[in-house]
Amino acid sequence: MYCHVCGTKNSPADNTCRKCRTKLKETGSTEEQIWAETAIDLDKGTQKALDSLSRQQQPASKQGNTGQGRAFSWIIPLLLAVAVGGLLTYYYKLETGINAEVKLLHQQAEQAALEGKYKEALQLLDSALTKRPNYDALIQDRQITAKAFNLMNQLEEASTSLKTGKLSAGDKTIQAVAKTLMEREEPVFSKVRAVLNNRKVTLAVLKVKKEIDSLTTIEALAEKLDTISNLKGKEAETVEKQIVDKLASISYKEAEQQVKQKNFTTALQTVDQGLSYAPENEKLTSYRERVLSEKRAFEKAEADRIQLAEQQAAEEDLMNRTAAVSVVNVDATLDMYGDLYISGSLINNATRPISSVTVLIDIYNIDGVYLGQTYADVYPSWLDVGEEGFFETYYYGVYEEAEISVVNATWYLE
């Protein structure tokens, strides 16, 4: 037997040598494979026709050398040759049409698969295989397309799991698909890779979204915002907005508490921190103006209070230094020796304790004539605010009734 492609002797039963079969497999061209098999069929048809002609010629040689025998010996083979040629031409055209149809179906299937329309591609490949069931290129392409179709279905299942909150199941499926794709380099898997990347983003977004409700600090939310900002897609944008809104809300509430505590500087820092994440948040922007207004009002009131306090303190200090004591009563009695016994009490009117209080007493006779003066120490020596102290002393050698008055007092402020 000879190879119908290269003519090599001792080819296998299908008339194609190993070298040519390998080449056909490497090129993977559907058209080449179609014509290879068509050539085999044509070769078989031609061989049958030649065998038929040979059988027809053998009886003719036994007719003798008559003219009639010679005529039939030429006419019959000629008619057979014409018939065989017609049949071969018909068969060739028929096979050519089938080959063209299979090639077109194969091309359409390839295009559909590259566009991710795997179900449509499989239907086209199945149609082609019904016409040429033994073509390796069609068989291999269908296996690859079916694999891509299966992976796409798995990603759809993962999407359903993610939408229903089954993140663990969805994550497991996504990882399995990713592992399979690591071993595939065919262009037909490009759409699967694109969908896989989208599912990975969706999974990451949903994981962050699930954690948002449990986060109550600006720092924790800011960390998740950094994570989500690296992801693309509408879902990521939606969750990013949710995080920003929650950041602004927490900043607002914290600033409100700080304003109630009159900690305006810290409140402004908190609002500014929130605005750094949500610069277009109108609620925070307007509240910042309110904080500034209340801060100015508080500072003015504080300044007025301090001024008033300083004034009151000055007045208080003046009182403490000049009018810390008030005499409650004072009395003078002449004893049998002609000496004047003087006694009395006073109260500490200062805002602080006082000590070492001494009073100065002037003495006059009943006619108002000045007789002299004396000092008396108050006891106890330390008087608390509002406490009463007492004093007593003698003025000797008066020998007559007299009138007295406390004209001055000294003390130490504690």
Side-chain angles (χ1 to χ4, degrees), residues 312-358:
Q312 291 175 344
E315 294 175 353
E316 180 181 304
D317 184 66
L318 179 63
M319 183 193 71
N320 289 340
R321 295 183 183 280
T322 60
V325 298
S326 60
V327 177
V328 176
N329 62 75
V330 62
D331 188 37
T333 303
L334 188 66
D335 65 9
M336 60 183 299
Y337 301 106
D339 299 324
L340 193 64
Y341 172 73
I342 302 171
S343 64
S345 65
L346 51 79
I347 293 177
N348 177 14
N349 293 325
T351 58
R352 293 155 55 184
I354 58 176
S355 63
S356 302
V357 182
T358 301

Side-chain angles (χ1 to χ4, degrees), residues 143-299:
Q143 291 174 346
I144 294 172
T145 304
K147 186 66 175 178
F149 182 61
N150 181 51
L151 292 177
M152 190 67 82
N153 286 337
Q154 291 183 50
L155 290 177
E156 289 301 320
E157 292 176 2
S159 177
T160 301
S161 297
L162 297 179
K163 289 179 181 178
T164 55
K166 301 175 182 178
L167 302 188
S168 179
D171 191 5
K172 185 177 180 180
T173 303
I174 289 172
Q175 290 182 14
V177 173
K179 183 178 180 180
T180 302
L181 283 178
M182 289 177 63
E183 303 173 356
R184 313 300 307 204
E185 298 180 356
E186 297 89 342
V188 73
F189 290 96
S190 60
K191 290 295 182 180
V192 180
R193 285 190 173 85
V195 174
L196 174 65
N197 292 332
N198 290 336
R199 296 296 177 270
K200 286 181 177 179
V201 171
T202 301
L203 176 63
V205 169
L206 291 177
K207 283 182 177 179
V208 172
K209 186 176 181 180
K210 189 175 182 180
E211 296 173 355
I212 292 176
D213 293 338
S214 62
L215 301 179
T216 58
T217 64
I218 294 176
E219 291 74 15
L221 286 168
E223 182 179 350
K224 293 303 176 183
L225 185 62
D226 290 338
T227 300
I228 205 72
S229 62
N230 295 324
L231 303 176
K232 304 298 181 183
K234 292 184 178 180
E235 292 178 337
E237 293 175 0
T238 300
V239 175
E240 183 177 2
K241 185 178 184 304
Q242 291 177 354
I243 296 175
V244 169
D245 290 344
K246 190 165 185 178
L247 274 168
S249 177
I250 291 177
S251 299
Y252 185 90
K253 291 179 180 178
E254 288 186 1
E256 273 190 325
Q257 295 300 318
Q258 291 158 354
V259 167
K260 290 179 180 179
Q261 298 170 3
K262 307 301 181 183
N263 196 347
F264 298 100
T265 301
T266 304
L268 282 174
Q269 293 174 349
T270 301
V271 171
D272 288 341
Q273 185 180 22
L275 286 172
S276 68
Y277 297 108
E280 298 179 359
N281 189 281
E282 295 182 359
K283 187 176 181 180
L284 275 180
T285 302
S286 60
Y287 190 67
R288 189 180 193 280
E289 295 300 321
R290 177 181 169 185
V291 174
L292 284 172
S293 176
E294 292 193 21
K295 181 175 182 291
R296 287 191 291 265
F298 176 78
E299 289 174 347

Side-chain angles (χ1 to χ4, degrees), residues 85-192:
L87 289 173
L88 291 176
T89 301
Y90 170 77
Y91 181 76
Y92 176 82
K93 290 182 178 180
L94 178 63
E95 293 299 318
T96 300
I98 294 175
N99 292 347
E101 187 177 357
V102 170
K103 180 181 178 181
L104 179 60
L105 289 170
H106 195 186
Q107 291 174 342
Q108 291 175 342
E110 289 178 346
Q111 184 62 35
L114 291 174
E115 293 175 359
K117 302 174 182 177
Y118 301 117
K119 186 176 182 179
E120 178 182 339
L122 288 173
Q123 292 173 346
L124 291 168
L125 289 170
D126 287 339
S127 297
L129 282 169
T130 58
K131 301 177 185 300
R132 290 287 185 259
N134 298 320
Y135 293 160
D136 291 339
L138 290 175
I139 295 172
Q140 291 176 4
D141 283 355
R142 194 192 187 286
Q143 291 174 346
I144 294 172
T145 304
K147 186 66 175 178
F149 182 61
N150 181 51
L151 292 177
M152 190 67 82
N153 286 337
Q154 291 183 50
L155 290 177
E156 289 301 320
E157 292 176 2
S159 177
T160 301
S161 297
L162 297 179
K163 289 179 181 178
T164 55
K166 301 175 182 178
L167 302 188
S168 179
D171 191 5
K172 185 177 180 180
T173 303
I174 289 172
Q175 290 182 14
V177 173
K179 183 178 180 180
T180 302
L181 283 178
M182 289 177 63
E183 303 173 356
R184 313 300 307 204
E185 298 180 356
E186 297 89 342
V188 73
F189 290 96
S190 60
K191 290 295 182 180
V192 180

Side-chain angles (χ1 to χ4, degrees), residues 375-391:
Y375 290 91
D377 294 326
V378 177
Y379 61 90
S381 61
W382 192 90
L383 296 178
D384 202 353
V385 176
E387 187 177 359
E388 186 177 9
F390 303 92
F391 59 88

